[in-house]
Amino acid sequence: MKIMKQSVIVWTLALVMAFGWIPGNIIAYGAEAGTPKTGDIVVLYTNDVHCAVDQVNKDGVITNMGYASVAAYKEEMESLVGSNYVTLVDAGDALQGDAIGTLSQGQYLVDIMNQVGYDIFVPGNHEFDYGMDRMQELMSDMDAKVVSSNFFNLSKGNLVYAPYQIVTYGSGDIEKKVAYVGITTPESFTKSTPSYFQDDNGNYIYGFGEGNQGQELYDMVQNAVNQAIKNGADYVVAVGHLGIDVQSSPWRSLDVIQNTTGIDAFIDGHSHSTVSGQIATNKNGDDVILTQTGTKLANIGQMTIHVDGSIDTQLISGYEKQNSANIKFINNIEADFADDLAQTVGKTDVVLTILNPDTANRMVRRAETNLGDLCADAYRHILGNGKSGVEAGPADIAFVNGGGVRANIDDGEISFGQVIAVHPFNNVGCVVSATGQEIIDALEMGARMAPEENGGFLQVSGLTYTIDESIASSVVVDEKKNFVSVDGTRRVSDVLVGGVPIDLQKTYTLASHNYMLLSGGDGINMFQDNELVVQPVLLDNQILINYIQHNLKGIVDTDYDDPYGQGRIVINHFSDTSSHWAMEAVDFVVERGLFSGASTTLFSPNNSMTRGMLVTVLYRMEGEPESGTLKFDDVSKEKYYANAIAWASENGIASGTGNQFMPNNLMTREEFAVMLYRYATPDQTVGVLSQFPDQDQVSSWANDAMGWAVEEGIITGDAKGNLNPQGNATRGEVATMLMRYFINQ
């Protein structure tokens, strides 16, 4: 990815105009791409490492490089261009995320980053998770220069850290100065603990330029950029922990770029996005290159400012070399607590997940998962209802924010370290009294971003609810994104507590943790002044351990075997399926990434399926493997179903007539059965069709497949007992039959 200062290389212009993106590469180490030369400035960058300090090698492939690899790669770049021409920066969220951070309150990570040799650091929202005093202690221990142009001490009337740092490269006629301008997300208010930014009376004494719908932030950044240029900066590189997610608007990196001038490149963090290089346009129409490395050191970012003034970015993955001194340093730290982390605290018969098992995408922040259920159950049962004697029992309801459930637990023995990885924040459990109205407001706040991710999405226990994603959220938030009200139709409905409709006037006992109930975390602030039924007691990780050891007798069993949870959260993705007979099946296939809607609000369950649509669904079921060569004249490579058709024909799942596949032809029910039969390659006995009055309408070539589908319960008769084999298969029918197929596996 390459731009000239203030201009884009001509050959990329059409792509930028069409898509806003440059087709950059994640560069596997050793590929030829923008190799720096003597005199070039190399900026290496990381973001959202979240305590992933070690190199991870899975099946012979480096998936996460670790800090020792960062150090080794830095040394390699220094050998190419000179040590005075390499700068290493981090865009935040380095000090929290796993046991090594939790157990040392971030100190081990600071020590490791100092050992690696970071030069510039920008605080992310999770740097504040250990409290403001601790955060500032950690920043003072950093060898790197800490910069943030918008983190402001309101009581003192000044920035907490320098807004930028100018680094000089070379000397004399070839001297160049680069200003690194730091930007910290205003979402820190709600995505760390809000009380950390307040005094004892609840008044905010710290700010992030969050006001005036983004303009205050833009002005603070612009002021820093202007100062840097006035002080001689030839280039301005913004290092921001802002992200590109819609929910972060108006404080996204793209928003800042579009509302400022003078920034040449933007190194981003916060959204865990993998962006090798995207061209964005600033307020004057000039081009700014935007980049982000993802998370947990899956990539190292490399920005090169060439002697000719051009800038390119690339992401380095799979780099195997490690600095031996750093390996030893990290190993010595880890040895201090290895025995504690290895202690077995229980066992699980099932995989407990935060991910969608069919897509491997994170799901816990937008839908129910079995680990979310388990964690919520732990809060409800361990903290209890605050009563004693015969009235004692679990709390009525428990909430856990999806952003507080951080890692999977594989089946087998559960270690203390795994539990800390799930709950690394050391939140403290508590119980409050809450009205039904407050509870439904909290659910609405948590559901407002769905189907987009939201750390405040609520996993629940003792309660069930439905989210209708086709209804636009009517939640009103303040300038810090705290809940204010619901001003319109609600997305959340059918709220049941213990199987009974919630009473808006009734008071319930609600279990969760201090972050949400007492501090208004994730903007869920409606419980802050409520009566405390149970004072803050156990840490979040200990609550989970106690539940497994005492309530579950040490074993998480098959009660939690469905990765999609126990049906506590029903999500209606489309307005035309909420009362449709195929609603459950539609939700099932959409959650697994097999289907998408006909539009953002409609699924069109009664529309017929085409051949192209169906092979695409089967292709997604298979994980979208590499496909063969297209051999049909009526299928162009640009069509969404092209790879699926090539794969299906290569594997004998679907065939055409001669050189025609006829992708737009409607699919009959028996054709669907045949394709699914070929896909499943069953070895069981094929069933019989004699019980159906219209069995003679089944084509001979489809007889085995239809018999199999009937035997497996995938296809059933209609209201009149007919198979209707020649009828067109609708989207709702196919969704239903696929759900039955999955369940029967």
Side-chain angles (χ1 to χ4, degrees):
M1 192 63 46
K2 189 170 186 175
I3 63 170
M4 300 296 292
K5 184 171 170 65
Q6 305 300 333
S7 67
V8 184
I9 291 177
V10 174
W11 66 267
T12 65
L13 187 57
L15 287 172
V16 175
M17 293 175 66
F19 304 110
W21 288 85
I22 297 292
N25 298 312
I26 298 177
I27 306 298
Y29 179 69
E32 293 293 330
T35 302
K37 299 178 176 62
T38 301
D40 291 344
I41 298 167
V42 175
V43 183
L44 302 179
Y45 51 97
T46 58
N47 60 271
D48 298 279
V49 177
H50 285 293
C51 299
V53 301
D54 295 311
Q55 186 178 97
V56 178
N57 188 316
K58 292 183 178 179
D59 301 322
V61 177
I62 303 297
T63 60
N64 303 80
M65 284 177 282
Y67 278 121
S69 288
V70 175
Y73 193 77
K74 179 173 182 264
E75 290 175 347
E76 188 162 322
M77 290 301 101
E78 289 172 342
S79 69
L80 279 177
V81 299
S83 60
N84 295 328
Y85 283 83
V86 178
T87 298
L88 177 59
V89 308
D90 187 274
D93 278 10
L95 309 186
Q96 171 279 338
D98 211 334
I100 192 171
T102 301
L103 296 177
S104 67
Q105 289 198 303
Q107 187 64 54
Y108 287 149
L109 283 308
V110 171
D111 295 343
I112 292 169
M113 294 180 75
N114 288 345
Q115 177 80 3
V116 172
Y118 276 83
D119 301 295
I120 306 288
F121 184 79
V122 175
N125 53 295
H126 286 299
E127 265 64 66
F128 298 96
D129 285 348
Y130 306 114
M132 186 61 71
D133 291 343
R134 180 59 177 164
M135 181 267 186
Q136 296 194 33
E137 288 176 2
L138 293 169
M139 295 303 99
S140 66
D141 288 343
M142 278 266 186
D143 291 344
K145 180 70 174 179
V146 181
V147 293
S148 180
S149 63
N150 65 310
F151 178 33
F152 204 78
N153 188 318
L154 299 173
S155 61
K156 295 182 179 179
N158 59 264
L159 289 170
V160 178
Y161 300 109
Y164 62 89
Q165 174 75 3
I166 291 180
V167 178
T168 301
Y169 303 89
S171 60
D173 294 339
I174 62 171
E175 178 182 281
K176 292 295 180 183
K177 294 183 177 182
V178 178
Y180 297 92
V181 176
I183 315 170
T184 301
T185 177
E187 288 192 302
S188 298
F189 286 121
T190 56
K191 293 191 173 181
S192 186
T193 300
S195 60
Y196 293 163
F197 306 98
Q198 302 168 350
D199 63 17
D200 292 340
N201 297 317
N203 301 309
Y204 281 94
I205 56 175
Y206 293 95
F208 294 92
E210 68 276 3
N212 198 17
Q213 296 174 347
Q215 191 59 51
E216 185 179 347
L217 175 65
Y218 312 149
D219 290 344
M220 295 181 82
V221 173
Q222 188 67 69
N223 184 54
V225 172
N226 292 346
Q227 286 182 26
I229 293 173
K230 182 179 179 180
N231 287 327
D234 299 293
Y235 298 89
V236 175
V237 176
V239 185
H241 193 83
L242 298 179
I244 60 176
D245 288 344
V246 173
Q247 64 179 283
S248 299
S249 177
W251 306 318
R252 300 171 302 165
S253 50
L254 291 168
D255 298 320
V256 170
I257 291 170
Q258 291 164 4
N259 288 278
T260 60
T261 61
I263 295 173
D264 296 298
F266 201 119
I267 295 168
D268 198 13
H270 189 46
S271 58
H272 296 196
S273 309
T274 303
V275 183
S276 56
Q278 175 186 353
I279 297 299
T281 304
N282 75 5
K283 191 175 181 179
N284 284 349
D286 298 324
D287 302 306
V288 180
I289 192 166
L290 172 67
T291 181
Q292 190 179 159
T293 69
T295 185
K296 293 186 178 291
L297 287 179
N299 305 289
I300 301 170
Q302 177 181 316
M303 178 182 296
T304 306
I305 303 174
H306 295 276
V307 173
D308 64 5
S310 63
I311 302 174
D312 65 34
T313 59
Q314 59 187 13
L315 301 184
I316 310 300
S317 66
Y319 185 78
E320 297 184 10
K321 295 180 183 178
Q322 298 186 78
N323 176 282
S324 58
N326 276 271
I327 293 174
K328 183 178 180 180
F329 188 81
I330 293 169
N331 288 345
N332 286 340
I333 288 175
E334 291 176 331
D336 288 343
F337 54 86
D339 290 342
D340 291 336
L341 295 184
Q343 288 183 3
T344 298
V345 298
K347 180 179 182 294
T348 176
D349 293 335
V350 300
V351 174
L352 299 165
T353 187
I354 64 172
L355 306 177
N356 184 317
D358 295 299
T359 65
N361 295 326
R362 187 167 58 189
M363 186 168 65
V364 73
R365 301 185 186 204
R366 61 180 185 85
E368 182 182 354
T369 79
N370 61 353
L371 184 53
D373 287 352
L374 180 73
C375 294
D377 286 346
Y379 276 98
R380 188 164 74 93
H381 288 276
I382 293 301
L383 297 177
N385 60 15
K387 298 178 181 179
S388 60
V390 295
E391 295 181 326
D396 296 321
I397 302 164
F399 288 162
V400 177
N401 56 317
V405 184
R406 307 287 290 193
N408 295 340
I409 298 178
D410 291 332
D411 56 339
E413 291 187 344
I414 303 172
S415 70
F416 179 52
Q418 286 177 297
V419 175
I420 289 183
V422 172
H423 287 322
F425 296 113
N426 279 344
N427 289 321
V428 185
C430 54
V431 180
V432 300
S433 295
T435 66
Q437 183 65 56
E438 291 169 333
I439 288 165
I440 67 167
D441 285 345
L443 293 171
E444 196 73 32
M445 181 70 174
R448 77 189 190 282
M449 300 304 300
E452 299 296 324
E453 284 196 329
N454 175 20
F457 184 91
L458 293 178
Q459 304 288 328
V460 298
S461 177
L463 176 148
T464 60
Y465 67 106
T466 297
I467 303 170
D468 190 337
E469 292 179 349
S470 68
I471 298 174
S473 175
S474 57
V475 169
V476 178
V477 297
D478 64 18
E479 64 182 12
K480 292 179 174 64
K481 296 195 176 180
N482 292 307
F483 176 84
V484 174
S485 64
V486 180
D487 186 20
T489 304
R490 289 177 179 263
R491 312 183 92 191
V492 172
S493 63
D494 302 323
V495 182
L496 304 179
V497 181
V500 177
I502 194 168
D503 183 340
L504 301 186
Q505 306 304 316
K506 181 178 176 179
T507 298
Y508 298 88
T509 50
L510 172 63
S512 189
H513 45 59
N514 60 323
Y515 169 73
M516 184 188 304
L517 298 184
L518 306 185
S519 298
D522 290 312
I524 299 174
N525 58 1
M526 59 286 296
F527 307 115
Q528 287 181 280
D529 298 324
N530 290 16
E531 175 195 6
L532 266 172
V533 176
V534 175
Q535 296 284 338
V537 281
L538 297 170
L539 295 180
D540 46 14
N541 37 62
Q542 191 61 52
I543 289 170
L544 183 55
I545 290 170
N546 286 2
Y547 180 66
I548 293 170
Q549 290 182 337
H550 302 301
N551 295 67
L552 302 183
K553 309 303 180 187
I555 299 176
V556 182
D557 62 19
T558 53
D559 285 347
Y560 295 94
D561 63 352
D562 189 336
Y564 295 91
Q566 298 176 359
R568 303 174 187 183
I569 306 172
V570 176
I571 298 180
N572 293 334
H573 301 279
F574 307 101
S575 60
D576 57 352
T577 60
S578 58
S579 59
H580 194 274
W581 61 266
M583 180 187 72
E584 180 185 2
V586 170
D587 291 340
F588 185 93
V589 295
V590 169
E591 281 298 328
R592 285 154 179 79
L594 305 181
F595 270 81
S596 55
S599 70
T600 55
T601 60
L602 298 176
F603 183 80
S604 301
N606 299 322
N607 285 8
S608 297
M609 291 283 288
T610 65
R611 286 167 55 82
M613 288 179 188
L614 183 57
V615 294
T616 300
V617 170
L618 297 178
Y619 182 58
R620 291 169 179 164
M621 285 171 58
E622 189 63 13
E624 300 185 351
E626 290 188 15
S627 55
T629 304
L630 275 172
K631 56 183 181 182
F632 301 105
D633 293 343
D634 58 347
V635 180
S636 63
K637 294 180 180 179
E638 293 75 24
K639 293 295 186 179
Y640 74 89
Y641 45 65
N643 288 339
I645 289 174
W647 163 80
S649 61
E650 183 179 41
N651 289 278
I653 294 166
S655 58
T657 302
N659 58 1
Q660 302 291 304
F661 186 82
M662 298 164 288
N664 297 317
N665 282 15
L666 299 183
M667 175 71 61
T668 66
R669 286 164 58 86
E670 68 176 9
E671 286 177 313
F672 167 77
V674 168
M675 284 195 191
L676 186 60
Y677 180 65
R678 291 171 177 169
Y679 172 80
T681 59
D683 55 9
Q684 63 266 41
T685 303
V686 172
V688 295
L689 304 176
S690 57
Q691 68 270 40
F692 298 99
D694 60 347
Q695 63 165 319
D696 58 343
Q697 295 181 24
V698 177
S699 302
S700 58
W701 51 265
N703 196 72
D704 285 352
M706 288 293 284
W708 165 79
V710 167
E711 182 73 15
E712 291 292 306
I714 296 168
I715 292 180
T716 58
D718 60 21
K720 296 181 179 180
N722 290 317
L723 277 175
N724 191 22
Q726 304 301 324
N728 291 332
T730 67
R731 288 166 58 85
E733 288 174 340
V734 170
T736 300
M737 290 186 278
L738 287 177
M739 180 180 72
R740 292 169 180 166
Y741 170 75
F742 267 95
I743 291 172
N744 288 341
Q745 298 309 296

